[in-house]
Amino acid sequence: MTANTAEPEEHTADPADRRREQRGWYFYDFACSVYSTSVLTVFLGPYLTSVAKAAADAEGFVHPLGIPVRAGSLFAYSVSVSIVVAVLVMPLVGAAADRTGRKKPLLAVSAYTGAAATAGMFFLSGDRYLLGAFLLIVANASLAVSMVLYNAYLPQIAEPDERDAVSSRGWAFGYTSGALVLVMNLVLYSGHESFGLSEGAAVRICLASAGLWWGAFTLVPLRRLRDRRVRPQGEGAVGSGWRQLRETLRDMRRHPLTLSFLLAYLVYNDGVQTVISQASIYGSEELGLEQTTLITAVLLVQVLAVVGALGMGRMARTYGAKRTILASLAVWTLILAAGYFLPSGAPVAFFCLAAAIGLVLGGSQALSRSLFSHLVPRGKEAEYFSAYEMSDRGLSWLGPLVFGLAYQLTGSYRDAIISLVIFFAAGFVLLARVPVRAAVAAAGNPVPERI
């Protein structure tokens, strides 16, 4: 055991209370997924790039802090910086949550910081590319921190044999909200002239509305989730944050199989996150597709991701989560290979690729989360999920960085996308080598019949 002597947090034993918490838990996915969909995936990349191009010099470069950056790379670099910021904050928040048992106030602070930054994107206009980069960094880092706390509730509100289904429903809720808001975005954006709005104003309203949605629906989990009591510690959580981080890292070395899963997840999820954040840039800048086409494609992804998350959750009950994830990684590899050869100006082919992405996106993410929940020692959920979130969003900086560097060096987004195949192929090999049943047992948790 480490110096963290907090008692294991109590689980919700009563089925009715547990279901009530689960329904509240789903709604944070419903709240924050709109940011990932409307802001990060659809609107902000192309719009921030256009703002940066308006501020660029004759060679197409902007100069934040005196550093020459190609305008087309600013968005990818900003995503990478936001992830570095999140890496510095997430372990401290996870340690504080486990030491105090007060996840909910920390969830509220991180969620509303991100929602406020997203709503502030309404003021992103003209050549204010620095404002856009700053708001992106704050919002993206806040989302990552809030997801540490959100994910840490999963082992407390779901029994081991429920977690694949509960995690998949959470992702399904998120993709449902993303689809609903994208429909409204599509109506507003495509008909902006009839509403008396310029194209830029319509985009800024879509960006800001995602922040308002995030803040409004966060009220549901804050009302329904409850904090668990822990034994008071001798030191304050803030003062001992860095010490607890070192203790957590030392403790994780005692669970090498859990670390092996995290390494595999870090690699293949880097590819997933890069596809999510750079898809609109690739579609608009490299394939020459209209914004309405991109919105429709992402809407298709959202709808099919609900089906995929629930369908892969059922597959996991038959074949196990590990085998189902491995199958999804094989499909991801084929998708990226097809994307490299996708012809420009071909919306139907782009829609087919979006459909394939939707069917594997939700399931691969949901099952990864539920599988990891079995590998976490009891009483250390937030600390270990901070490490998971570092793999999920916090350490997924390499893909966007490579993507941005490839464009900076070659001027072609198509040259960058083929590198993502490496992430999925390597992740497949690493995950295949993890003996998950032994990993669950080594963490001191009951081993499900199928995993």
Side-chain angles (χ1 to χ4, degrees):
M1 293 292 292
T2 68
N4 180 3
T5 57
E7 292 178 334
E9 300 187 25
E10 58 182 275
H11 290 236
T12 303
D14 183 75
D17 289 343
R18 192 166 66 247
R19 284 192 295 272
R20 183 177 187 275
E21 278 200 277
Q22 288 171 2
R23 287 192 291 267
W25 186 80
Y26 299 150
F27 267 93
Y28 191 66
D29 253 323
F30 192 84
C32 71
S33 292
V34 173
Y35 166 83
S36 298
T37 303
S38 291
V39 177
L40 198 63
T41 303
V42 177
F43 286 108
L44 188 57
Y47 186 67
L48 181 57
T49 300
S50 69
V51 171
K53 286 181 176 179
D57 59 22
E59 286 75 34
F61 286 83
V62 291
H63 299 269
L65 304 177
I67 302 170
V69 173
R70 192 183 290 271
S73 296
L74 179 71
F75 176 71
Y77 288 157
S78 298
V79 171
S80 289
V81 171
S82 73
I83 290 167
V84 172
V85 172
V87 165
L88 298 176
V89 177
M90 286 190 297
L92 300 180
V93 171
D98 280 336
R99 280 187 172 272
T100 64
R102 293 177 60 79
K103 293 182 180 67
K104 197 154 66 169
L106 294 169
L107 176 61
V109 170
S110 56
Y112 283 107
T113 299
T118 305
M121 292 176 186
F122 178 78
F123 301 102
L124 176 58
S125 61
D127 59 358
R128 299 176 182 172
Y129 74 93
L130 284 176
L131 174 64
F134 173 75
L135 292 175
L136 168 58
I137 290 167
V138 172
N140 221 38
S142 297
L143 177 65
V145 171
S146 71
M147 292 302 291
V148 169
L149 303 156
Y150 168 68
N151 287 336
Y153 276 103
L154 180 59
Q156 299 167 353
I157 64 173
E159 297 294 336
D161 59 354
E162 297 177 312
R163 290 180 196 166
D164 286 346
V166 170
S167 183
S168 296
R169 289 188 199 114
W171 281 108
F173 263 62
Y175 286 116
T176 300
S177 73
L180 288 173
V181 174
L182 270 182
V183 169
M184 294 186 283
N185 291 159
L186 182 59
V187 170
L188 178 63
Y189 180 82
S190 60
H192 61 84
E193 292 181 354
S194 63
F195 291 108
L197 298 170
S198 66
E199 182 178 340
V203 171
R204 290 189 291 114
I205 291 173
C206 291
L207 293 172
S209 65
L212 297 177
W213 181 285
W214 184 356
F217 284 99
T218 295
L219 293 173
V220 179
L222 292 180
R223 286 179 62 86
R224 293 206 172 184
L225 293 172
R226 65 184 181 88
D227 285 331
R228 272 70 174 171
R229 295 187 305 273
V230 297
R231 180 184 300 167
Q233 302 297 297
E235 322 175 59
V238 174
S240 62
W242 286 106
R243 180 177 295 107
Q244 182 59 53
L245 172 59
R246 291 194 298 269
E247 293 169 355
T248 300
L249 294 175
R250 281 199 297 267
D251 186 71
M252 290 189 72
R253 290 166 58 187
R254 303 186 183 192
H255 301 280
L257 298 180
T258 300
L259 282 175
S260 296
F261 172 81
L262 273 178
L263 176 60
Y265 181 68
L266 183 156
V267 173
Y268 70 74
N269 187 65
D270 205 346
V272 173
Q273 295 300 322
T274 306
V275 171
I276 292 172
S277 65
Q278 306 302 319
S280 288
I281 288 282
Y282 185 72
S284 63
E285 299 293 326
E286 186 67 36
L287 303 181
L289 300 175
E290 297 291 334
Q291 187 74 54
T292 52
T293 300
L294 298 177
I295 296 173
T296 305
V298 175
L299 179 59
L300 181 62
V301 170
Q302 297 300 112
V303 172
L304 292 179
V306 175
V307 177
L310 298 177
M312 287 180 64
R314 292 182 178 178
M315 287 178 61
R317 289 200 293 269
T318 302
Y319 302 104
K322 177 183 172 180
R323 289 182 179 179
T324 306
I325 295 170
L326 288 172
S328 76
L329 297 182
V331 175
W332 271 111
T333 302
L334 295 175
I335 287 171
L336 268 293
Y340 176 77
F341 296 104
L342 202 67
S344 299
V348 174
F350 191 71
F351 290 150
C352 291
L353 200 67
I357 289 173
L359 289 174
V360 295
L361 176 61
S364 59
Q365 292 178 317
L367 293 178
S368 296
R369 177 170 64 186
S370 61
L371 179 56
F372 182 71
S373 73
H374 293 285
L375 310 182
V376 178
R378 184 171 296 183
K380 299 177 181 178
E381 290 85 0
E383 293 177 36
Y384 272 62
F385 266 107
S386 71
Y388 174 86
E389 194 64 24
M390 286 171 67
S391 299
D392 188 358
R393 287 177 173 85
L395 291 184
S396 296
W397 55 269
L398 184 59
L401 179 61
V402 169
F403 207 87
L405 286 172
Y407 179 77
Q408 175 124 350
L409 295 173
T410 68
S412 171
Y413 292 106
R414 192 181 294 272
D415 291 340
I417 196 170
I418 195 63
S419 66
L420 302 183
V421 172
I422 299 173
F423 291 99
F424 292 109
F428 182 99
V429 173
L430 291 171
L431 178 60
R433 293 170 59 88
V434 178
V436 291
R437 299 185 70 85
V440 175
N445 294 321
V447 181
E449 184 178 350
R450 293 280 185 185
I451 188 167

